[in-house]
Amino acid sequence: MKRLLIYSFLIYSWIANTQAMDHSKWTEVLQSYVTDNGAVNYRGLQNNRAVLNAYLNDLSSNTPKNNWSISEKKAYWINAYNAYTIQLVLDNYPTKSIKDLKNPWGQKFINIGGKTLSLNTIEHEILRPMGDSRIHFAIVCASESCPKLLNCAFESESLDIQLDQAAHEFINDSTKNSITPSKITISKIFKCFKSDFPKGDDFIDYLNTYSTVQISPEAKINHQNYNWSLNE
């Protein structure tokens, strides 16, 4: 009987240490403090950070495991980037722009699995090497010209649908991209991360995958100025 209890405990511990992350606390925060348009109520959240802090503690203690699927890992790191960006803003709120903070993307303030990371670490060393350009429509740097922050967590089971939705909404958002068949003025995200997107005619094909306006392969391409005002 004692041996059976030991085996049961070991199996339970193995399951607990390998199961994917529960992001329900993050969804609770997002649904309470983020509008359908992606505007964040930082002031309200600053006065009620308990659930956010609990979620950040969950992220810190439940790092991705080798047996997690790519979708589970990707969802984890997208949510982590967005949640820790919110934390960074709250720790310095009120502020008019994340760029007013000292080294916002390079400072190492994120404690995950005993390691101290920066937002740059998550974006450039973890997410971008996964090779999915749609992450650029999912991670949000707390600014008006960024993609909108979804008011629900990214989940592994629905990740492809959510990423396609994020790409569709961002590309067709006239405040981020101006698209006509013969001329497009698009977000600087496409310029800054040019290496992550298809090249030449394939880039237009990529945009046409999501755009409601079909763009000509000969369309002239310009880039919009980036608005770094806080997304509130």
Side-chain angles (χ1 to χ4, degrees):
M1 179 59 125
K2 184 177 180 181
R3 182 175 296 178
L4 179 61
L5 289 173
I6 292 173
Y7 285 157
S8 298
F9 174 77
L10 291 174
I11 291 172
Y12 173 81
S13 298
W14 179 84
I15 293 173
N17 288 325
T18 57
Q19 63 185 178
M21 176 81 182
D22 178 3
H23 299 290
S24 58
K25 290 187 183 76
W26 182 226
T27 290
E28 182 179 344
V29 171
L30 294 170
Q31 290 186 346
S32 298
Y33 296 100
V34 180
T35 69
D36 289 341
N37 293 326
V40 182
N41 180 4
Y42 290 104
R43 190 175 302 279
L45 181 53
Q46 190 179 44
N47 295 324
N48 189 14
R49 296 177 63 168
V51 179
L52 174 62
N53 290 339
Y55 178 67
L56 295 175
N57 288 334
D58 289 347
L59 287 170
S60 180
S61 60
N62 190 20
T63 55
K65 309 299 187 296
N66 290 335
N67 70 325
W68 285 21
S69 68
I70 292 296
S71 291
E72 288 168 339
K73 293 176 182 177
K74 199 182 299 182
Y76 174 98
W77 287 113
I78 291 171
N79 290 327
Y81 183 97
N82 291 338
Y84 280 104
T85 297
I86 294 292
Q87 182 198 33
L88 179 63
V89 171
L90 291 176
D91 287 346
N92 295 276
Y93 193 81
T95 183
K96 293 182 179 180
S97 170
I98 192 172
K99 291 196 75 176
D100 291 339
L101 312 185
K102 184 178 179 180
N103 194 20
W105 297 287
Q107 63 173 280
K108 293 189 174 182
F109 69 98
I110 301 166
N111 186 353
I112 290 182
K115 297 180 180 180
T116 306
L117 313 176
S118 68
L119 292 171
N120 275 343
T121 306
I122 295 176
E123 180 176 11
H124 302 303
E125 299 180 24
I126 299 173
L127 280 171
R128 290 182 65 197
M130 290 183 179
D132 188 340
S133 60
R134 296 174 300 173
I135 65 107
H136 293 296
F137 313 125
I139 57 175
V140 181
C141 60
S143 302
E144 286 288 345
S145 286
C146 288
K148 79 172 190 179
L149 183 63
L150 294 186
N151 58 2
C152 63
F154 285 89
E155 300 284 356
S156 58
E157 299 86 355
S158 55
L159 186 61
D160 272 331
I161 294 173
Q162 288 179 298
L163 289 175
D164 279 341
Q165 174 193 351
H168 176 83
E169 290 190 3
F170 180 76
I171 289 171
N172 291 289
D173 185 340
S174 61
T175 68
K176 323 286 187 184
N177 304 279
S178 175
I179 296 177
T180 68
S182 59
K183 180 181 178 181
I184 59 176
T185 304
I186 54 177
S187 169
K188 278 191 176 177
I189 287 175
F190 295 110
K191 183 177 182 179
C192 294
F193 302 104
K194 187 176 181 179
S195 62
D196 293 350
F197 294 97
K199 309 297 185 292
D201 291 346
D202 290 338
F203 176 65
I204 297 298
D205 289 341
Y206 178 89
L207 293 178
N208 279 331
T209 302
Y210 304 104
S211 176
T212 56
V213 176
Q214 290 302 288
I215 308 163
S216 166
E218 288 78 35
K220 184 178 179 180
I221 301 176
N222 294 307
H223 294 91
Q224 292 194 4
N225 292 325
Y226 213 83
N227 182 356
W228 288 102
S229 299
L230 200 65
N231 61 337
E232 63 178 345

